Amino acid sequence: MNAVAILLYRNLVASISKVFLIWQIVFPIVYIFVAGYSYSALLGGQGVTIGSASVPYPAYLAAGMIGFNMMNSSTVAGSIIWNDKKNGMFKQILVMPFARMEYVLGNIMTIMLMGLASAGLILLAGFPALVDSAQPTILSSIYVLYALIVGAIFFGSVAIIISTRLKSSESFNVIVNSVFLFFSFVSSAFYPSRGVPAGLGVAFYANPLTYIVDITRAGIFDQVTSFTNFEAVVIAVIATCTFLLATLSILRMKI
């Protein structure tokens, strides 16, 4: 555990920069308050239905941005591994008393902490949009925490798998951005899945981000149902399988 904590500290120091922090805060704020209220006007002020509740679109979007921002934070895991391979740091780490499994856990813990910190920032930034609609309880808040932790594991694992398979930084950036672009816009992060064409609806629920933001919204607006529990089980299975694949990729990665 001490080894994982050391690697966690090293990852945080190496990966967090002022530019990254500013981007993690400014982009969601701009999107929530510019796109959120602009699209709300196009909707004629109608709310979006979540369970038995109807919430304003800016509140709906602010809750979705929590999962979206967590996903963006997870690219750090892939960047760390890619840079470690490129600069020979991965080999140096393994020469020291660190195991590959500890290296994987250190990266996943980094993403989990960054995802939770990012969610906290979005909650603070989006408070004006959420304050009149959010009704979290102790139980429903656990669902939000669960979604963020499991989501961080999944997206961090995806970034790790991609980084271990590619040999150039250009390929890594193109693939990661393309995959995460699909995750972002073919999901319920920005708009509800109800009413979309059947084929697109299927794509929505083939996308793990949909489950993560649905669970997050259910927790924030206290609309936890049996379907929320089903989504929680599905994303847990997906995240576990992806984490195992990421671990296997690290264990097989050549120095």
Side-chain angles (χ1 to χ4, degrees):
M1 184 57 68
N2 288 336
V4 175
I6 292 170
L7 290 170
L8 170 62
Y9 175 77
R10 171 253 177 187
N11 291 342
L12 291 174
V13 172
S15 61
I16 296 178
S17 64
K18 292 181 180 179
V19 174
F20 177 78
L21 289 175
I22 292 172
W23 174 252
Q24 286 291 96
I25 298 172
V26 172
F27 175 75
I29 291 176
V30 171
Y31 208 89
I32 290 170
F33 291 102
V34 175
Y37 286 98
S38 297
Y39 293 159
S40 182
L42 291 176
L43 294 172
Q46 294 181 356
V48 180
T49 301
I50 300 175
S52 60
S54 179
V55 301
Y57 180 71
Y60 176 90
L61 182 60
M65 288 300 292
I66 294 173
F68 173 80
N69 228 37
M70 175 274 300
M71 181 189 70
N72 282 341
S73 299
S74 68
T75 58
V76 171
S79 299
I80 290 172
I81 293 175
W82 169 252
N83 288 324
D84 284 347
K85 286 197 307 178
K86 179 181 178 181
N87 300 325
M89 183 58 70
F90 182 64
K91 183 176 181 179
Q92 294 181 40
I93 289 174
L94 294 183
V95 171
M96 293 183 281
F98 298 112
R100 292 190 183 219
M101 191 62 194
E102 291 170 337
Y103 181 78
V104 175
L105 292 175
N107 277 281
I108 294 299
M109 289 293 293
T110 302
I111 300 309
M112 288 171 61
L113 282 181
M114 293 181 68
L116 291 174
S118 174
L121 292 173
I122 298 303
L123 284 173
L124 289 175
F127 182 77
L130 290 167
V131 63
D132 293 328
S133 304
Q135 296 179 336
T137 63
I138 295 176
L139 178 61
S140 68
S141 297
I142 294 175
Y143 279 82
V144 177
L145 184 63
Y146 171 84
L148 294 174
I149 291 175
V150 175
I153 293 172
F154 171 75
F155 288 112
S157 298
V158 170
I160 289 172
I161 293 170
I162 294 174
S163 68
T164 58
R165 298 295 179 182
L166 301 177
K167 297 182 179 180
S168 69
S169 59
E170 292 80 8
S171 298
F172 171 75
N173 290 326
V174 169
I175 297 298
V176 166
N177 289 333
S178 299
V179 170
F180 280 34
L181 188 66
F182 167 80
F183 283 142
S184 299
F185 292 102
V186 188
S187 74
S188 58
F190 302 113
Y191 24 73
S193 58
R194 294 180 181 178
V196 301
L200 187 57
V202 171
F204 270 35
Y205 283 97
N207 183 350
L209 183 59
T210 293
Y211 298 92
I212 292 165
V213 295
D214 281 357
I215 297 169
T216 302
R217 287 194 180 104
I220 290 176
F221 301 113
D222 192 22
Q223 295 296 317
V224 176
T225 64
S226 58
F227 185 68
T228 307
N229 293 325
F230 170 75
E231 289 183 307
V233 172
V234 171
I235 192 60
V237 172
I238 294 173
T240 300
C241 294
T242 310
F243 175 73
L244 292 175
L245 288 174
T247 302
L248 187 62
S249 295
I250 291 291
L251 294 177
R252 291 183 174 180
M253 188 169 68
K254 296 180 180 179
I255 300 178

